[in-house]
Amino acid sequence: MISEVKEFKILGDHRGQLVALEANRQIPFEVKRVFYIYGTQPEISRGNHSHYKTKQFLVAVHGSCKVTLDDGVDKEVYDLDRPNLGLFQDALIWGSMHDFSPDCVLMVLANDYYDDKDYIRTYDEFLQEVNR
Ligand code: T46
């Protein structure tokens, strides 16, 4: 198993719903960066890279998408279709995000600041790195 979709407690009442995510609790690292992607067309695939060190946690806070994670041996596809679901993507895992609903807002929490040098952009280089 590469990862698993985690289900968070919904702290709802008659006013609506609330989901709380805390560093080192629901999120398995200290969060240094949050970004979100939206307005992605259904036929578009995003990501398609890995990271040397960056760990990520993905939550579709609105709408839905699928995430394929690949550890160099196995591939698994995960559905993020509710705002109380999250998926951990470790370093050295190839990730792609696809099948976005038009209203999807995919929020990503990361354990480090953005650094272009932390990206592994070709699948061959990724395989070399995981087999080292
Ligand atoms: C991932 C998926 C879901 C920044 O300036 N800061 C940032 O923190 C990020 C993530 C990106 N950028 C810049 C770099 C590019 O000029 O934003 C532009 C688009 O980034 P990128 O092409 O990496 O976007 P995606 O959607 O292919 O991938 C991003 C993340 O890079 C990736 O780790 O999991 O969103």
Side-chain angles (χ1 to χ4, degrees):
M1 189 170 69
I2 299 172
S3 187
E4 61 186 332
V5 174
K6 279 195 188 171
E7 187 166 350
F8 307 120
K9 191 171 175 189
I10 300 174
L11 305 163
D13 59 25
H14 67 281
R15 298 167 299 170
Q17 317 304 340
L18 186 153
V19 173
L21 304 177
E22 295 178 311
N24 299 319
R25 292 185 176 170
Q26 294 87 353
I27 308 302
F29 49 74
E30 286 290 342
V31 178
K32 283 197 178 164
R33 176 167 52 111
V34 178
F35 61 94
Y36 43 92
I37 61 178
Y38 60 96
T40 306
Q41 297 302 310
E43 70 278 8
I44 296 291
S45 162
R46 302 190 68 148
N48 299 300
H49 54 242
S50 178
H51 297 271
Y52 292 103
K53 290 189 180 156
T54 302
K55 301 169 194 279
Q56 302 194 140
F57 202 87
L58 300 98
V59 181
V61 290
H62 195 258
S64 63
C65 69
K66 293 182 194 291
V67 180
T68 299
L69 297 183
D70 178 337
D71 62 7
V73 178
D74 295 314
K75 268 187 200 180
E76 286 172 7
V77 182
Y78 305 88
D79 281 314
L80 294 180
D81 56 5
R82 280 184 280 144
N84 69 319
L85 300 179
L87 181 69
F88 175 56
Q89 179 185 353
D90 208 344
L92 290 182
I93 296 289
W94 188 268
S96 62
M97 299 79 201
H98 48 94
D99 291 282
F100 287 85
S101 64
D103 59 348
C104 183
V105 181
L106 179 64
M107 178 179 75
V108 182
L109 306 128
N111 71 327
D112 213 344
Y113 301 113
Y114 177 71
D115 178 4
D116 187 52
K117 291 192 273 312
D118 190 56
Y119 279 66
I120 307 173
R121 297 195 185 277
T122 71
Y123 196 73
D124 282 349
E125 191 189 343
F126 164 69
L127 287 180
Q128 278 174 28
E129 207 55 42
V130 292
N131 290 321
R132 262 208 299 175

